[in-house]
Amino acid sequence: MQHQLCLVIGDPIEHSLSPLIHNAGYGALEIQDRFRFEKERVEIKDLPEAVERFRASMYRGISCTLPHKIEVIPFLDEVDETAGKIGAVNTIVNDEGILKGYNTDWHGILNPLQEVTELAGKKVAILGAGGAARSAVYACLQGKAIVTIFNRTPEKAEVLSQEFECSSASLDDSTHLADYDVIINTTSVGMTPHMEDSPIAKESMRVGQIVFDIVYNPYETKLLQDAKKQGATVIHGTEMFIHQAAAQFELYTGEKAPVEVMRKTLLEHFNIA
Ligand code: ATR
């Protein structure tokens, strides 16, 4: 039987771990004879040609990472309503040549949070106001949380908060973060090679709080190390990666994603547990 091909496109792409965990999922469900997941570097200038090639070659799924999540939208036949609200597509399903865009990044925020707390009515602080923050804000509002966006450039937080009808503040005012039930970092602060950096002071965190960092390289950021020292519950960025991939897996294959196998594969790759 011919494989249905899926792939992740981005630039750079060589370090993408999407093929690793999607293919592990196919193996776990014994559908590796039907599906295969690859990666391909696509430069932004080549995006229109690449999308048409994947459409014509009947690629089943096209996962998009930076810098293609917004730029790909004009080349699609349809965009699902949620992806439209978030303003970014990370998942494209090819149904016999019709390309429909989705966003699963918000599942990567909401699902791990819902595993540890009931979000409704909780005060959530989102750090950052870029593309990743948009998915986080959408996810938390879906979970009926009370959201405040904190950003280094407060004007950007203000614009985003008006669009999503929530509150905003400057990251400089983050001394009040201990008042929040949940803190989600969507900035790149703390990412390799700047592993000594954290977007907020350790004293901003406390027992009973949940701190989620979407940065997953390194596995445990300075922010999460500090959060643990303060007695907070932490959620690693790997959880976002796993859950956004699991939702993609379901859209591409129609099968329930084997989340545990995907998690184990990813953590083994990081030499964790
Ligand atoms: P992404 O799409 O990954 O979210 P982005 O759109 O470039 O990336 O957004 C990056 C976010 O990280 C922004 O909110 C940015 O703050 P500014 O709007 O003030 O630029 C934030 N960010 C990046 N580096 C930062 C730093 N050193 N300190 C605080 N915030 C930072």
Side-chain angles (χ1 to χ4, degrees):
M1 193 192 293
Q2 222 189 340
H3 279 99
Q4 294 204 65
L5 292 175
C6 300
L7 88 170
V8 59
I9 61 169
D11 185 20
I13 202 64
E14 74 245 50
H15 297 299
S16 172
L17 297 172
S18 293
L20 176 76
I21 67 170
H22 279 267
N23 285 322
Y26 302 154
L29 299 188
E30 298 183 354
I31 56 171
Q32 69 273 30
D33 294 339
R34 286 170 44 211
F35 287 95
R36 196 167 73 222
F37 198 106
E38 302 172 340
K39 62 185 162 192
E40 184 173 320
R41 177 170 168 244
V42 174
E43 288 179 52
I44 202 87
K45 69 174 173 46
D46 298 327
L47 186 62
E49 170 275 320
V51 171
E52 287 319 305
R53 182 161 47 85
F54 300 137
R55 183 206 298 272
S57 311
M58 288 300 171
Y59 271 79
R60 169 65 182 159
I62 305 153
S63 301
C64 300
T65 185
L66 299 178
H68 299 316
K69 291 186 185 190
I70 299 169
E71 276 71 11
V72 80
I73 291 175
F75 310 118
L76 306 178
D77 300 301
E78 276 180 70
V79 174
D80 134 279
E81 191 185 335
T82 297
K85 281 189 185 145
I86 295 172
V89 161
N90 74 325
T91 306
I92 303 166
V93 176
N94 184 0
D95 259 325
E96 298 184 353
I98 306 293
L99 301 182
K100 181 165 179 179
Y102 298 85
N103 185 303
T104 68
D105 285 332
W106 73 280
H107 295 278
I109 300 284
L110 188 58
N111 296 1
L113 284 169
Q114 286 182 330
E115 280 178 8
V116 296
T117 191
E118 164 62 57
L119 260 191
K122 295 277 162 60
K123 286 179 71 178
V124 177
I126 292 176
L127 315 181
R134 296 181 66 90
S135 296
V137 172
Y138 180 85
C140 293
L141 292 176
Q142 283 299 114
K144 307 222 175 322
I146 303 157
V147 174
T148 304
I149 305 165
F150 288 81
N151 199 43
R152 176 178 61 182
T153 312
E155 295 76 19
K156 273 169 72 181
E158 165 80 25
V159 169
L160 195 56
S161 70
Q162 281 174 2
E163 182 179 337
F164 284 96
E165 297 181 2
C166 58
S167 308
S168 71
S170 166
L171 204 48
D172 292 340
D173 302 333
S174 61
T175 43
H176 301 300
L177 282 173
D179 297 342
Y180 287 77
D181 302 298
V182 179
I183 299 173
I184 307 173
N185 176 41
T186 75
T187 76
S188 50
V189 179
M191 197 182 282
T192 308
H194 304 289
M195 289 152 66
E196 302 309 314
D197 295 349
S198 171
I200 55 174
K202 186 169 138 193
E203 294 68 35
S204 312
M205 296 176 281
R206 58 163 172 83
V207 173
Q209 207 171 35
I210 296 163
V211 181
F212 186 176
D213 197 342
I214 72 162
V215 173
Y216 67 84
N217 189 5
Y219 174 70
E220 195 151 295
T221 57
K222 171 83 162 53
L223 173 70
L224 294 188
Q225 290 170 25
D226 287 349
K228 272 186 173 173
K229 284 181 195 150
Q230 296 293 99
T233 299
V234 305
I235 304 176
H236 294 88
T238 44
E239 287 301 305
M240 179 183 182
F241 186 67
I242 291 160
H243 284 278
Q244 63 79 30
Q248 286 185 338
F249 187 102
E250 294 178 7
L251 285 165
Y252 297 159
T253 66
E255 307 274 356
K256 187 151 176 37
V259 174
E260 277 310 319
V261 170
M262 293 166 85
R263 177 179 293 115
K264 187 164 177 285
T265 305
L266 186 66
L267 295 186
E268 277 173 5
H269 175 85
F270 282 108
N271 287 321
I272 313 288

